[in-house]
Amino acid sequence: QVQLVESGGGLVQAGGSLRLSCAASGRTFSMYPMGWFRQAPGKEREFVAAISATGGNTYYADSVKGRFTISRDNAKNTVFLQMNSLKPEDTAVYYCAARSYRGSGYYATDYDYWGQGTQVTVSS
């Protein structure tokens, strides 16, 4: 199994930036494609971004394209989400997740392991 811990969330003004980190332990991190999801209170969990095991391929939800960047450092067992030009609608709990090549990676049910989440609040 894989244990994931997110960090880096907080309160930021609209237009500002945050970088989220997800530290992994347990099974070999480099074996897993990774994803970021977010969930606002009372809303469905939604896909944000995904990255292949090597970091060679990345994918983004339309709502964050051009603003967010997913990356990973396999030597440090860490995946990142750089968030720029933040908007109030980005406010949510952000979760990182790992999958063992199940499904497409665009759905929460494709993922096997989840972190506890980190709160991101963007003020207007």
Side-chain angles (χ1 to χ4, degrees):
Q1 66 275 13
V2 174
Q3 294 80 234
L4 304 171
V5 180
E6 302 95 334
S7 62
L11 176 64
V12 65
Q13 188 178 33
S17 298
L18 286 172
R19 188 175 78 156
L20 306 183
S21 298
C22 176
S25 62
R27 298 180 68 180
T28 304
F29 175 74
S30 62
M31 296 177 64
Y32 294 89
M34 300 289 295
W36 285 96
F37 289 76
R38 66 188 183 187
Q39 188 167 21
K43 302 296 190 296
E44 295 292 321
R45 183 167 44 189
E46 66 173 334
F47 171 79
V48 175
I51 188 166
S52 61
T54 64
N57 295 284
T58 58
Y59 311 89
Y60 298 94
D62 288 342
S63 59
V64 306
K65 285 181 180 177
R67 300 190 298 120
F68 291 10
T69 303
I70 188 171
S71 61
R72 67 192 297 160
D73 186 339
N74 286 347
K76 297 180 179 179
N77 293 339
T78 304
V79 63
F80 304 96
L81 185 68
Q82 178 67 46
M83 305 186 295
N84 299 326
S85 301
L86 283 162
K87 305 174 180 179
E89 55 260 44
D90 295 319
T91 295
V93 176
Y94 283 71
Y95 300 89
C96 69
R99 66 182 181 94
S100 54
Y101 298 97
R102 189 198 320 277
S104 68
Y106 289 97
Y107 305 97
T109 51
D110 294 335
Y111 289 80
D112 300 289
Y113 308 103
W114 293 85
Q116 85 289 348
T118 186
Q119 177 71 48
V120 172
T121 302
V122 184
S123 62
S124 60

